[in-house]
Amino acid sequence: MSTDDELVDRGFAALADPVRRAIVARLGRGPATVGELAAPFEISVQAVSKHVQVLEHAGLVTKGRQAQRRPVRLEPAALERLTAWIDGHRLLAEQRYRRLDAVLGDPSRRRDT
């Protein structure tokens, strides 16, 4: 499996969890510390930190350092990679449906039984 395939696999696996999807959605508005990310959840800061580690391993977020703060940032390129994968498969499916529509719409191609 290529590195790009592995990153796509890790990205989708990371986004399979609703807490991690919520964290990604929050980071779409800007960087936040793990404590700030944990605030809306009824789970511990340590649990949110583990979710952030999974997102970081998938390349979806990075942790930085600003004095005492360690803000977590979204990595837009990783989301673009996942979107490109989805778009590629969506386009293939749409082409197949168009061909099927063309066949079903052309009475000369149908056989009555």
Side-chain angles (χ1 to χ4, degrees), residues 2-4 9 11 13 18 22 27 34 36 40-41 45 57 63-64 67-69 71 73-74 77 81 87 107 112:
S2 74
T3 302
D4 199 43
D9 289 348
L27 292 174
V34 172
E36 292 166 344
F41 299 107
V45 173
H57 180 68
K63 284 192 223 172
Q68 298 294 341
R69 289 179 43 112
R73 288 183 172 72
L74 189 60
R81 185 172 39 252
D87 284 345
D112 293 329

Side-chain angles (χ1 to χ4, degrees), residues 48-106:
V48 171
S49 181
K50 287 182 181 183
H51 283 295
V52 169
Q53 286 176 350
V54 171
L55 292 168
E56 194 173 21
H57 180 68
L60 295 169
V61 302
T62 56
K63 284 192 223 172
R65 175 162 279 178
Q66 293 176 343
Q68 298 294 341
R69 289 179 43 112
R70 295 203 45 135
V72 180
R73 288 183 172 72
L74 189 60
E75 286 297 321
L79 290 177
E80 288 172 13
R81 185 172 39 252
L82 298 179
T83 302
W85 186 91
I86 290 170
D87 284 345
H89 289 278
R90 181 184 54 81
L91 291 172
L92 285 173
E94 285 177 4
Q95 290 170 353
R96 289 180 183 140
Y97 284 124
R98 280 192 215 110
R99 286 195 305 265
L100 180 61
D101 286 343
V103 168
L104 294 176
D106 185 352

